[in-house]
Amino acid sequence: MTTKRIIIDTDPGVDDALTFLLALASPEIQLEALTTVCGNIGIDKTTRNALAVLELAGASRIPVARGCALPLVSPLGTSGEAVHGTSGLGKADLPEPKSQIVDQHAIDFLIEHILAEPQEITLFMIGPMTNLALAIRKEPRIVPALKELVIMGGAIKQGGNVTPLAEFNIYADPHAAHIVFHAGIPITLIPLDATYKCLLTTADVEHLNRIDSPIARFVRDATAVYMDFYKKYENFDGCALHDPLTLATLIAPELLTFEEHHVDVDISGGVSNGNTFADLMKVSKKPVNMRVAMDVRGRDFVELFIDRMESLSRRI
Ligand code: RIB
Ligand code: CA
């Protein structure tokens, strides 16, 4: 099996952190680096959280590059604290990381590593896309050099989760999403239409915690605030594995149902700002610019996630 080399651009964030753990628990994947961005929480906390979660998993060898503290245009009008807690990692209390970030901005780190390994790196975007948008503008040569781009973001037929019409990662920096969507990179979009079908339950987390492990305890503590939010606002005993589902493209693609569409994002600044819309009826005659996961065998993915967390919990 050839391992897939990936970089994750991220705003950890509870489900971001679960994505790192899933990548580290998956033999199909070689996690090469994390680049951080503001999103769920500010850049200082997202960067600290990235270092801390890698340290928890014994993966401090993996470089972390700090990225943008603000979106391209409009300051972030919302915070993810209600979902991710004030630390960004729910009720998890990880020690201050000993490891340091690399001495290079995330934009330059992405450019250097993508150009150094043309057609080798798959980039996973699981937060606002500010870093990548600026990397494309600074060095357009990364577009042909990137193997693939997998994006957690948007909502096609599903309503939004931060406004009725917009999903958080896109809404937080719609201009960055617009640049990325139209750059010409092969894109796989994992929207809310699929991710909301991947619900980790409190029973799943309790089952995992029959293993005495800091990883199992982290999953329980990190998702605690997330679970409370879903119970309070969506009356569900669980939380959606938005970001981890992106890795299904590499570890279990058979679970996803893809459609090819021209997808755009509204940057007009009105009530639907950040809305992602697909030309489902092909009326615009615009070329397809991405494949979109419109469905998933959600419970099968959650069980795969738990299996991989169990194997990681037994190792750490
Ligand atoms: O809408 C879900 C996305 O917003 C996820 O990436 C989550 O971490 C938040 O950033
Ligand atoms: Ca995220």
Side-chain angles (χ1 to χ4, degrees):
M1 165 183 58
T2 51
T3 53
K4 310 285 193 322
R5 302 172 61 189
I6 77 168
I7 294 175
I8 301 177
D9 188 88
T10 177
D11 62 336
V14 172
D15 56 330
D16 303 69
L18 300 183
T19 309
F20 311 161
L21 296 181
L22 181 58
L24 293 168
S26 298
E28 304 89 338
I29 291 173
Q30 181 177 314
L31 178 57
E32 304 243 332
L34 299 179
T35 52
T36 62
V37 69
C38 72
N40 285 317
I41 206 100
I43 188 67
D44 291 341
K45 289 183 179 178
T46 59
T47 304
R48 177 223 181 263
N49 291 342
L51 292 167
V53 175
L54 290 178
E55 206 149 290
L56 168 76
S60 291
R61 68 188 180 283
I62 293 172
V64 174
R66 176 188 168 110
C68 292
L70 285 170
L72 294 185
V73 177
S74 315
L76 205 48
T78 177
S79 157
E81 290 193 10
V83 182
H84 300 269
T86 51
S87 73
L89 293 178
K91 293 178 181 170
D93 183 15
L94 297 184
E96 204 56 31
K98 299 181 188 64
S99 49
Q100 301 289 318
I101 55 173
V102 298
D103 184 18
Q104 189 175 32
H105 193 283
I107 296 169
D108 299 313
F109 184 95
L110 287 171
I111 291 170
E112 179 182 311
H113 282 73
I114 292 166
L115 290 185
E117 306 278 354
Q119 285 302 309
E120 287 290 328
I121 303 292
T122 297
L123 181 58
F124 284 74
M125 304 300 293
I126 61 173
M129 294 189 269
T130 317
N131 292 332
L132 178 56
L134 288 173
I136 291 168
R137 285 289 184 260
K138 181 172 183 180
E139 182 44 88
R141 288 182 301 143
I142 66 171
V143 168
L146 249 183
K147 182 181 174 71
E148 186 183 7
L149 191 55
V150 181
I151 299 169
M152 190 283 128
I156 303 300
K157 295 178 181 172
Q158 162 85 32
N161 62 354
V162 66
T163 76
L165 291 169
E167 176 277 330
F168 178 82
N169 286 339
I170 307 299
Y171 181 78
D173 197 338
H175 304 89
H178 195 276
I179 290 171
V180 172
F181 281 13
H182 299 291
I185 305 167
I187 293 174
T188 296
L189 186 74
I190 311 290
L192 296 181
D193 305 74
T195 65
Y196 266 116
K197 294 179 179 174
C198 300
L199 298 175
L200 180 73
T201 68
T202 49
D204 292 327
V205 176
E206 283 159 17
H207 178 74
L208 174 64
N209 273 271
R210 76 194 188 291
I211 302 172
D212 177 17
S213 156
I215 296 292
R217 286 190 289 276
F218 173 78
V219 173
R220 178 195 64 205
D221 298 343
T223 57
V225 174
Y226 211 168
M227 298 277 195
D228 292 347
F229 177 90
Y230 271 81
K231 183 67 181 167
K232 183 174 179 185
Y233 292 103
E234 313 211 5
N235 195 29
F236 182 79
D237 274 334
C239 60
L241 295 178
H242 300 296
D243 293 337
L245 184 60
T246 56
L247 297 183
T249 56
L250 299 183
I251 66 178
E254 69 283 359
L255 300 183
L256 296 164
T257 301
F258 292 109
E259 296 176 10
E260 297 210 332
H261 294 299
H262 179 87
V263 178
D264 208 339
V265 52
D266 182 351
I267 54 173
S268 59
V271 67
S272 60
N273 207 45
N275 175 251
T276 49
F277 52 98
D279 181 7
L280 299 173
M281 302 293 285
K282 312 296 181 211
V283 292
S284 73
K285 306 290 185 274
K286 290 183 180 176
V288 166
N289 60 345
M290 59 183 78
R291 66 172 185 165
V292 183
M294 292 302 291
D295 201 357
V296 60
R297 292 182 1 226
R299 187 62 204 166
D300 289 348
F301 176 73
V302 173
E303 288 178 4
L304 173 61
F305 174 78
I306 288 295
D307 288 347
R308 299 264 166 124
M309 287 304 101
E310 287 182 348
S311 65
L312 190 65
S313 297
R314 291 194 175 95
R315 278 180 12 216
I316 307 279

